[in-house]
Amino acid sequence: NAGVTQTPKFQVLKTGQSMTLQCAQDMNHNSMYWYRQDPGMGLRLIYYSASEGTTDKGEVPNGYNVSRLNKREFSLRLESAAPSQTSVYFCASVSGTVHSPLHFGNGTRLTVT
Amino acid sequence: LAKTTQPISMDSYEGQEVNITCSHNNIATNDYITWYQQFPSQGPRFIIQGYKTKVTNEVASLFIPADRKSSTLSLPRVSLSDTAVYYCLVGAPESSASKIIFGSGTRLSIRP
């Protein structure tokens, strides 16, 4: 049982380049989330998807787009990367059953030069 | 979601009991209190969850007073491996269209 899988683990981009961070969960969870974590800081919510076919903005959505491709997959796209987007990105999912906890992936470490 | 307040950092020594308190004055009737632990370079992981009184598992205990406006995570006999950031969250994640917001957490450092 893999849980939440994120790819890639590491990525270096030049300013202005685009890329998509992939996230997949195999726990049949309804809701999925994207967070970013800057060094020494807490997690900030970028976007979330309460269920397949829906997405909503979190605390810091600017510069990002998301796609809930199906129930398993939730991708995060940076259209034109900026140095301020250098961070560790975590994907998480939750089942939607009563008071179930979040399950996190191991993160993608992104550096934008 | 109810806003939470926790100490930014705490220090302790191996073998001690550590208590981290979280304030959540605006907790709603249906809200649960959930604690997560995050080691460096890893995603947070669930530790414990409770609604009222006391909950205990193999990792920690969670104490919640009757008014539920605060909660205390208790780690018995800590070791160096308990050095991590601990987050307190209040809410009901299973509700539809639910934003799950993390605060800054408490950075716990354990010394030999």
Side-chain angles (χ1 to χ4, degrees), chain B residues 4 20 29 37-38 45 62 66-67 76 79 85 87 90 93 95-96 112:
Chain B
T4 61
I20 305 174
T29 303
Q37 175 190 55
Q38 185 181 25
R45 68 169 187 143
L62 179 60
D67 67 6
S79 65
V85 179
Y87 296 95
V90 172
S95 63
S96 62

Side-chain angles (χ1 to χ4, degrees), chain B residues 20-98:
Chain B
I20 305 174
T21 297
C22 179
S23 297
H24 29 80
N25 291 321
N26 297 322
I27 190 168
T29 303
N30 294 335
D31 287 343
Y32 272 58
I33 300 150
T34 308
W35 285 80
Y36 292 85
Q37 175 190 55
Q38 185 181 25
F39 297 118
S41 302
Q42 294 184 25
R45 68 169 187 143
F46 169 81
I47 305 177
I48 197 166
Q49 184 181 73
Y51 183 79
K52 62 181 179 180
T53 62
K54 176 183 175 182
V55 179
T56 298
N57 62 23
E58 66 278 5
V59 177
S61 294
L62 179 60
F63 299 91
I64 304 167
D67 67 6
R68 304 202 324 124
K69 292 184 183 300
S70 67
S71 58
T72 299
L73 175 72
S74 181
L75 304 172
R77 297 181 299 282
V78 293
S79 65
L80 296 175
S81 63
D82 291 312
T83 294
V85 179
Y86 293 82
Y87 296 95
C88 164
L89 275 74
V90 172
E94 77 285 357
S95 63
S96 62
S98 174

